Amino acid sequence: MINILVTGASGQLGKTLNDVKLEYPKLDFVFLDSKQLDITDNLSIEKAFTLAHFDFCINCAAYTNVEQAEKTPEIAFKVNAEGVKNLALACKESNVTLIHISTDYVFDGEKTGPYTIEDTPNPINEYGKSKLAGEKYIQEILDKYYIIRTSWLYSKIHGKNFYKTILQKAKKGDVIKVTDEQIGCPTDTINLAKFIIEHKVISKSNFGIHHFSDNIAMTWYSFAASILKYNNFDLYKLLNLNRNYTTFAERPKNSILQ
């Protein structure tokens, strides 16, 4: 039996991993949310690691509020950098392989084509900087690890995300204004969860940095259109293009991962 600790279990990816676990009867999962395992607290981590002899730790714990990270970067760095460092040190001490979820926002978006693992990160906002700092800690501390960068993550069931927000607005009959000035690859948490388990946990090879997305590039506007069409809403009545969309945090114009 392979024992797997999942941190950040109350998030959309953590909950999705919990949903699909029955498909993998040879894997034994322990799911802990931030109240049960606070990665910024070493004592909390030590306690969690005594629950079983874990083979893997899938780190879904993260500070993901991009806008707020710009205003209070110290909070983002506490979780996404220092918290990840704490977890990496614990994994090293307990001989646990860390599977860490990172982001497309480690790139600046200036490249014309897709970003590969060979491209040099250059984040343009505090969230991206904090996630890159976490990646660097892992690389410095561990020999065996997986850093999986993903993009535009959403669940149709769990959490707060773009997919669910568009549907909620459509059901209320609201006019939906969306930008087309950013392009990336939306990624369903189910596909990412199965990728993590099937390609990383079961194969036990190819350590290092990986990119994963659903591999269909689109703008936020075209993503919204596809959501409405898939759910049988009249996108022509509901969807408007917003060319004046602004955010406090700068975001990469292109974050396609390959």
Side-chain angles (χ1 to χ4, degrees):
M1 184 70 73
I2 297 174
N3 294 318
I4 303 170
L5 172 64
V6 178
T7 69
S10 62
Q12 60 179 356
L13 180 57
K15 287 183 176 180
T16 302
L17 284 163
N18 205 351
D19 290 341
V20 304
K21 69 180 181 182
L22 293 179
E23 298 179 29
Y24 307 95
K26 294 183 179 180
L27 307 180
D28 189 18
F29 291 87
V30 173
F31 292 88
L32 299 178
D33 62 25
S34 59
K35 293 181 180 179
Q36 299 164 311
L37 170 51
D38 178 358
I39 65 171
T40 68
D41 182 346
N42 282 313
L43 290 177
S44 181
I45 294 174
E46 289 176 14
K47 182 179 179 181
F49 272 66
T50 63
L51 296 176
H53 174 70
F54 294 109
D55 300 287
F56 294 89
C57 173
I58 303 176
N59 181 35
C60 301
Y63 184 87
T64 59
N65 190 326
V66 178
E67 293 293 285
Q68 189 60 38
E70 210 66 22
K71 301 172 185 177
T72 54
E74 64 278 3
I75 300 176
F77 275 84
K78 183 179 181 181
V79 178
N80 296 339
E82 296 303 319
V84 171
K85 178 183 179 182
N86 297 339
L87 202 55
L89 288 169
C91 285
K92 182 176 183 179
E93 184 176 349
S94 300
N95 194 29
V96 175
T97 300
L98 178 61
I99 302 173
H100 175 69
I101 309 305
S102 192
T103 175
D104 53 334
Y105 277 28
V106 298
F107 297 110
D108 59 20
E110 295 301 318
K111 187 178 180 181
T112 54
Y115 283 95
T116 72
I117 61 172
E118 305 300 327
D119 288 311
T120 302
N122 182 36
I124 56 176
N125 58 44
E126 296 298 326
Y127 167 70
K129 291 173 184 177
S130 70
K131 293 293 287 186
L132 180 59
E135 288 188 10
K136 289 181 177 178
Y137 277 133
I138 291 170
Q139 292 171 301
E140 291 169 1
I141 295 167
L142 297 172
D143 295 320
K144 294 182 179 180
Y145 62 85
Y146 301 105
I147 294 171
I148 303 175
R149 295 175 182 148
T150 192
S151 60
W152 297 21
L153 196 63
Y154 71 93
S155 167
K156 295 177 182 177
I157 302 171
H158 303 299
K160 296 179 180 179
N161 56 63
F162 185 83
Y163 187 100
K164 291 179 69 178
T165 298
I166 294 299
L167 273 188
Q168 288 167 2
K169 288 180 177 294
K171 289 175 182 177
K172 291 190 293 184
D174 293 347
V175 174
I176 303 167
K177 297 181 180 180
V178 186
T179 183
D180 67 348
E181 294 178 353
Q182 299 163 26
I183 187 169
C185 296
T187 306
D188 192 319
T189 53
I190 293 176
N191 297 329
L192 177 57
K194 291 184 176 182
F195 172 78
I196 292 168
I197 296 171
E198 295 174 6
H199 291 267
K200 303 303 157 207
V201 173
I202 294 175
S203 67
K204 299 182 183 179
S205 61
N206 299 318
F207 296 111
I209 296 175
H210 297 262
H211 286 178
F212 180 83
S213 72
D214 284 348
N215 207 32
I216 300 175
M218 58 182 73
T219 65
W220 287 115
Y221 180 86
S222 55
F223 184 29
S226 69
I227 294 168
L228 294 173
K229 184 177 180 181
Y230 179 80
N231 290 279
N232 299 313
F233 286 99
D234 189 339
L235 63 94
Y236 297 104
K237 290 183 179 179
L238 293 171
L239 189 60
N240 283 357
L241 180 61
N242 184 1
R243 284 275 166 79
N244 297 312
Y245 176 76
T246 59
T247 60
F248 189 76
E250 188 177 1
R251 298 169 188 249
K253 293 180 181 179
N254 166 37
S255 60
I256 300 171
L257 298 179
Q258 185 180 73

